[in-house]
Amino acid sequence: MTPAEIYDIDAIRVDRSALTIREAATVLNNELTAPVVAQLVRKAIGSQADQFPLRTLKRVYERVLPKVFEPDEAVQSRVEGLTPNVTTITLGEYHEFLDASERKIAFPPVAATLLIKAYGEDILNEPYAAAALLLKKIFDAVGDEGNE
């Protein structure tokens, strides 16, 4: 029996906190290439990755990546309790973020700048899965202020 026959992909343990926003600022500041994705999966599941034959790559990635990128209920609850301070965010930073988003950069350096300005330096220790929710709260708050 090979490891893939005895190892259940659905039983993979994924550490959602393995990739913090701080780490994402260095790992995801370019396009998502195959080596970057491999690094993320390895970080999230550790040596479990060694258990699978290469032919299971797609199924393993499909199981792991959503858990790294998408927030669970705990992350959502934590983010709901935070209120961003958008008073020091500049229009230039906003435009820089939009430009990087257009270029398909997963987590441009300016995203970390926006998060720090809005929530403080400690926000970078949160799981990366919180980043999109946190950024949305910033842009919602900016939109609300722009309508006043």
Side-chain angles (χ1 to χ4, degrees), residues 21 69 71 79 107 115 128-137 139:
I21 295 171
F69 291 120
V79 169
F107 194 75
L115 291 171
Y128 176 72
L133 294 175
L134 292 165
L135 288 166
K136 181 180 182 328
K137 286 187 83 158
F139 297 129

Side-chain angles (χ1 to χ4, degrees), residues 56-109:
T56 63
L57 176 90
K58 181 180 177 191
R59 289 185 16 235
V60 170
Y61 281 22
E62 287 173 346
R63 169 90 173 132
V64 173
L65 291 175
K67 291 186 178 191
V68 172
F69 291 120
E70 297 169 10
D72 61 5
E73 288 181 26
V75 168
Q76 290 174 353
S77 293
R78 203 165 38 251
V79 169
E80 283 175 12
L82 299 174
T83 303
N85 174 1
V86 297
T87 58
T88 61
I89 294 174
T90 67
L91 190 54
E93 290 162 336
Y94 175 72
H95 288 158
E96 187 179 338
F97 180 82
L98 292 178
D99 180 56
S101 296
E102 283 288 316
R103 291 184 285 127
K104 306 270 190 252
I105 297 174
F107 194 75

Side-chain angles (χ1 to χ4, degrees), residues 84-87 139-148:
N85 174 1
V86 297
T87 58
F139 297 129
D140 287 349
V142 168
D144 291 345
E145 281 194 5
N147 293 329
E148 291 178 357

Side-chain angles (χ1 to χ4, degrees), residues 18-46:
L19 180 68
T20 65
I21 295 171
R22 183 179 313 281
E23 292 169 315
T26 57
V27 175
L28 299 176
N29 63 0
N30 293 301
E31 290 185 43
L32 278 180
T33 60
V36 170
V37 172
Q39 182 180 1
L40 292 174
V41 169
R42 182 81 171 156
K43 187 158 189 55
I45 66 173

